[in-house]
């Protein structure tokens, strides 16, 4: 499918998508200088500024973008503000004026708030209110962060974006519904709109290495994944690469799988993580306080076929030109270990 690009004055393409995203200088001379500057200022608003949003937001801030986002509590708002972000506490049941006002002035909108099972996407329950805030604004790009969980179980087969999504559990069904709703929402505004289906997200502070060093118990989701033969995952740096690429090469109503090349089982990943920890900090694992058996990160149960599939990233590579920094968990975990100090 041919990629539909926005007018050239919105973006300039660099040869390497790891380079900063730079808008072209404004060529409209009939406007006042202040108005001309406003036309090319890049303003990102993130509905749901979690792990990925903060990582990507920091990169954009370093390049001169204005970055704002929402969170769910005053405590998180304070934490985001301490990191230099403009943050708003969002009550999804009734978006406030300050949030809608900030959204209306953004040029780019990233949505990473998960849907509520049984209720759907909390923001699109106020779709007309949100559309009213955006319809006469300067928004150019809309991206919804979804999950590869929407594919459901395919008995270990490789799946791509054209493979029928057939989720069997309610959270994944809600995700798929939200994808379609956001794509339609973008269509109604004539926007460059993409959905990124992310694999299991890991990176600094959120990885098998961190779990082992902190002796953290497994979450319920981690326990569910622990018996799978295949788990698609992706390093946060590569998610940021994909986001950059969709901004630089905008398309209309496109879905991309954002995963690495190696859908390895969780036990293999933790075995490698244990080896890295032991090599860098000999004796650390033996000296660490004992953890209850059911919470040990390297304890794995009977294999399950629930949600089994291997997710292809071919479209992301061919259409967006993304060259993964971490094509396997091995590269990603090694990088995290090298940067970590105890």
């Amino acid at each position: 499918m041919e990629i539909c690009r926005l007018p050239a004055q919105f973006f300039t393409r660099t040869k390497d998508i790891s380079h900063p995203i730079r808008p072209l200088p404004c060529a409209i001379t009939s406007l006042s200088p202040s108005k001309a500057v406003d036309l090319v200022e890049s303003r990102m608003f993130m509905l749901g500024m979690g792990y990925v949003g903060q990582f990507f937001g920091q990169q954009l801030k370093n390049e001169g973008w204005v970055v704002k986002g929402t969170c769910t509590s005053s405590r998180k708002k304070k934490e985001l503000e301490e990191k230099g972000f403009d943050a708003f506490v969002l009550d999804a049941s009734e978006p406030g004026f300050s949030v809608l006002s900030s959204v209306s002035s953004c040029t780019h909108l990233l949505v990473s708030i998960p849907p509520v099972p049984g209720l759907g996407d909390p923001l699109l329950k106020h779709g007309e209110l949100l559309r009213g805030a955006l319809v006469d604004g300067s928004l150019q790009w809309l991206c919804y962060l979804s999950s590869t969980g929407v594919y459901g179980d395919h008995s270990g087969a490789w799946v791509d974006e054209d493979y029928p999504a057939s989720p069997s559990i309610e959270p994944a069904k809600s995700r798929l519904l939200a994808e379609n709703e956001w794509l339609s929402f973008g269509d109604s505004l004539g926007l460059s709109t993409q959905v990124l289906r992310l694999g299991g997200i890991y990176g600094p502070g959120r990885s098998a290495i961190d779990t082992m060093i902190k002796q953290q118990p497994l979450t319920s989701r981690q326990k569910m994944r622990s018996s799978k033969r295949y788990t698609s995952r992706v390093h946060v740096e590569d998610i940021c690469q994909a986001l950059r690429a969709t901004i630089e090469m905008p398309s209309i109503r496109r879905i991309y799988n954002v995963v690495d090349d190696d859908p390895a089982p969780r036990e293999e990943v933790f075995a490698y993580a244990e080896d890295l920890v032991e090599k860098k900090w000999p004796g650390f694992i033996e000296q660490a306080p004992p953890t209850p058996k059911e919470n040990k990160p390297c304890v794995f149960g009977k294999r399950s076929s629930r949600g089994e599939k291997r997710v292809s990233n071919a479209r992301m590579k061919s259409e967006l030109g993304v060259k993964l920094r971490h094509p396997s968990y091995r590269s990603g975990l090694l990088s995290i270990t090298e940067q970590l100090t105890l």
Side-chain angles (χ1 to χ4, degrees):
M1 182 180 292
E2 183 178 355
I3 298 177
C4 180
R5 291 177 171 80
L6 290 179
Q9 68 265 29
F10 289 155
F11 309 103
T12 182
R13 176 69 173 152
T14 60
K15 292 183 178 179
D16 182 347
I17 62 174
S18 65
H19 290 176
I21 303 165
R22 297 184 291 273
L24 288 172
C26 182
I28 303 176
T29 57
S30 60
L31 297 176
S32 66
S34 61
K35 195 67 174 178
V37 169
D38 184 61
L39 281 176
V40 298
E41 183 182 41
S42 297
R43 302 181 297 277
M44 173 69 75
F45 196 94
M46 301 182 179
L47 289 168
M49 203 166 194
Y51 180 73
V52 172
Q54 291 178 49
F55 202 98
F56 189 48
Q58 188 58 58
Q59 290 186 359
L60 296 180
K61 269 173 51 62
N62 292 343
E63 296 163 13
W65 285 57
V66 175
V67 181
K68 301 180 181 180
T70 69
C71 56
T72 56
S73 69
S74 298
R75 177 183 61 81
K76 291 181 179 179
K77 179 178 186 294
K78 183 178 179 181
E79 291 174 357
L80 288 171
E81 289 174 340
E82 288 174 348
K83 295 178 180 179
F85 296 111
D86 290 331
F88 304 83
V89 177
L90 175 65
D91 180 355
S93 64
E94 189 175 355
F97 174 78
S98 60
V99 173
L100 292 174
S101 177
S102 292
V103 169
S104 68
S105 66
C106 69
T107 57
H108 298 73
L109 180 62
L110 179 63
V111 183
S112 62
I113 297 176
V116 179
L119 297 177
D121 190 281
L123 266 301
L124 289 180
K125 293 300 178 184
H126 309 278
E128 289 306 314
L129 196 62
L130 189 59
R131 184 179 287 104
L134 294 170
V135 68
D136 293 322
S138 52
L139 188 63
Q140 304 162 7
W141 174 92
L142 169 64
C143 183
Y144 178 69
L145 297 186
S146 185
S147 165
T148 57
V150 299
Y151 290 110
D153 177 23
H154 293 285
S155 302
W158 282 96
V159 300
D160 61 16
E161 294 85 350
D162 294 324
Y163 207 95
S166 55
S168 59
I169 58 176
E170 189 58 36
K173 290 179 180 179
S174 298
R175 279 282 190 192
L176 185 60
L177 178 61
E179 284 185 8
N180 292 324
E181 288 179 336
W182 278 108
L183 286 169
S184 296
F185 182 83
D187 289 347
S188 72
L189 292 172
L191 293 174
S192 164
T193 308
Q194 293 89 31
V195 167
L196 302 190
R197 290 175 176 168
L198 308 182
I201 303 164
Y202 76 102
R206 179 173 169 169
S207 70
I209 298 292
D210 297 278
T211 299
M212 303 195 83
I213 288 177
K214 297 174 183 177
Q215 291 293 296
Q216 295 171 326
L218 296 181
T219 64
S220 58
R221 184 174 295 182
Q222 287 172 330
K223 290 177 181 177
M224 182 181 73
R225 292 197 299 258
S226 66
S227 59
K228 289 184 180 179
R229 288 177 297 161
Y230 307 109
T231 296
S232 295
R233 55 183 59 79
V234 61
H235 194 287
V236 66
E237 290 180 356
D238 287 321
I239 298 174
C240 293
Q241 281 209 91
L243 285 167
R244 285 174 177 277
T246 64
I247 290 174
E248 293 189 345
M249 301 175 63
S251 59
I252 300 297
R253 199 179 178 87
R254 206 63 170 139
I255 297 173
Y256 296 98
N257 292 331
V258 181
V259 296
D260 68 18
D261 299 334
D262 187 8
R266 185 177 174 82
E267 58 186 311
E268 181 182 311
V269 174
F270 268 93
Y272 182 68
E274 183 174 350
D275 184 57
L276 289 177
V277 170
E278 186 58 32
K279 285 180 178 178
K280 185 165 183 177
W281 301 286
F284 176 85
I285 294 176
E286 287 75 9
Q287 296 169 9
T291 307
K293 183 176 181 181
E294 66 273 18
N295 288 335
K296 284 186 179 179
C298 286
V299 173
F300 297 89
K302 184 180 179 181
R303 289 207 179 277
S304 167
S305 63
R306 184 179 182 182
E308 291 283 11
K309 70 269 181 185
R310 287 175 286 179
V311 181
S312 169
N313 57 22
R315 178 183 289 181
M316 175 186 70
K317 290 179 176 180
S318 63
E319 292 188 4
L320 298 179
V322 172
K323 184 177 181 181
L324 294 169
R325 292 195 179 102
H326 303 292
S328 166
Y329 69 86
R330 292 178 177 271
S331 167
L333 293 183
L334 180 60
S335 173
I336 291 168
T337 305
E338 289 173 343
Q339 298 173 37
L340 197 59
T341 58
L342 296 183

